[in-house]
Amino acid sequence: MAVGGDHRLLNDPTHYTYGADWQRVFQVVPELLEPLAPDWASYEQDQHRAIEALRAYAERGIAAVESRLVENLSGVSQGTPGIGFQGAELEHQIAVALQSSVHLACVVTWVVLEDEEAFDSGNVALMFVDALGRVVRWTRIEPASVSEVGGAWADGCWVEMDEWLEGNIGPEYQIGGSCGGLLFESMRDA
């Protein structure tokens, strides 16, 4: 298992063979979950801000959303109103963007897991995790792409990568998950 931006490789099977319970590695090496923000207060403030924006949208609709986001999604900011999303699709895309901002605020590091499926498919699991080691989003990538993820992470542009944008939502961030309630309540209303 390669972990985080400095590519720690945890490959000693006598210490790091957890199978499906791979997240136990964070109990052994908890410093892997240090937040990106300079301190915990900043990390928590970013989360709070993103959650409040999503909550405001769920309660008050499009009027509660930053005009810049609405303009970008509707095509107004490109000088082509009507070309972007409109009506119900615009509202859905706003909810998706706000949900993504909450997910982004929760991520503290990334993990590459070479599991049984990796040996079968040839693709490793790339997971973005929160401060408690819960998977926020995940996908499968070719091992050769891991260095690209590392570079994007270092450059701060990983949130623009398809691996993030199109990644699967982790179990705790889905409906019924410990972190998913508000997110999906807002998505349902949109």
Side-chain angles (χ1 to χ4, degrees):
M1 176 184 334
V3 183
D6 54 6
H7 303 293
R8 295 179 188 109
L9 183 62
L10 308 176
N11 64 353
D12 182 343
T14 61
H15 291 100
Y16 305 113
T17 302
Y18 300 127
D21 195 22
W22 64 268
Q23 291 163 309
R24 283 188 31 218
V25 74
F26 298 126
Q27 295 170 355
V28 177
V29 192
E31 59 271 17
L32 297 173
L33 295 174
E34 294 175 3
L36 296 172
D39 57 51
W40 281 103
S42 296
Y43 174 72
E44 290 172 347
Q45 287 172 354
D46 289 347
Q47 286 181 351
H48 179 74
R49 196 172 17 257
I51 290 169
E52 286 306 309
L54 185 60
R55 181 174 284 133
Y57 176 63
E59 292 172 359
R60 298 191 312 272
I62 204 166
V65 179
E66 284 186 29
S67 60
R68 181 181 50 181
L69 176 60
V70 175
E71 290 171 359
N72 285 340
L73 291 172
S74 66
V76 170
S77 64
Q78 291 88 5
T80 53
I83 299 298
F85 300 108
Q86 303 296 316
E89 183 60 21
L90 174 62
E91 291 180 18
H92 175 74
Q93 291 300 323
I94 289 170
V96 168
L98 292 173
Q99 177 192 41
S100 184
S101 70
V102 172
H103 288 171
L104 172 64
C106 293
V107 171
V108 296
T109 194
W110 56 281
V111 175
V112 175
L113 182 66
E114 189 171 350
D115 56 2
E116 299 252 348
E117 188 175 332
F119 290 109
D120 294 339
S121 70
N123 292 326
V124 295
L126 169 64
M127 294 169 279
F128 297 95
V129 297
D130 69 13
L132 297 177
R134 298 174 297 207
V135 176
V136 178
R137 290 192 184 184
W138 70 276
T139 192
R140 293 258 171 204
I141 62 171
E142 295 179 4
S145 299
V146 171
S147 61
E148 292 176 29
V149 175
W153 184 269
D155 292 343
C157 62
W158 57 276
V159 299
E160 299 167 9
M161 297 180 69
D162 288 342
E163 291 83 359
W164 167 259
L165 295 171
E166 298 171 10
N168 302 297
I169 297 171
E172 295 296 322
Y173 284 82
Q174 293 182 10
I175 295 174
S178 63
C179 305
L182 171 66
L183 300 178
F184 281 94
E185 180 180 310
S186 301
M187 296 292 288
R188 184 184 65 237
D189 295 340

